[in-house]
Amino acid sequence: MSSETAVPKQWLNVSEAAAHIGVTKNTIYAYVSKRRIPFYKIPKSQLVKFKISDLNEWLESGKVETIDEYLNPKEE
């Protein structure tokens, strides 16, 4: 049994990012080229990486309210 604690994965490559948000790799490349998705470019290379927390926040930002939420907004 290992005494090491597993560190949660933070960074994703294109394939993993596509799987995480449920789109194709081509869609990820299109989003990157149009700067529609948050990404990080590896210096002096063509490689891009995606932070899981950024992708989750990006997905959450696209939430569309239900009619009930729209008609009955919660006070914050």
Side-chain angles (χ1 to χ4, degrees):
M1 179 180 255
S2 174
S3 62
E4 294 180 30
T5 303
V7 176
K9 187 167 184 168
Q10 177 177 322
W11 297 96
L12 303 177
N13 63 29
V14 171
S15 296
E16 294 166 330
H20 185 74
I21 66 171
V23 298
T24 66
K25 286 182 2 180
N26 286 340
T27 299
I28 292 290
Y29 286 122
Y31 285 175
V32 166
S33 71
K34 295 175 183 173
R35 296 180 182 241
R36 292 187 59 204
I37 193 169
F39 68 95
Y40 296 80
K41 188 169 182 292
I42 306 301
K44 299 181 183 180
S45 79
Q46 297 296 317
L47 293 175
V48 294
K49 293 287 185 174
F50 305 87
K51 210 172 188 182
I52 292 174
S53 59
D54 288 345
L55 292 178
N56 290 341
E57 186 176 317
W58 178 74
L59 285 171
E60 293 268 341
S61 73
K63 181 182 184 250
V64 177
E65 293 179 323
T66 65
I67 191 68
D68 287 338
E69 289 171 331
Y70 178 76
L71 293 175
N72 303 303
K74 292 181 182 177
E75 292 184 25
E76 293 185 28

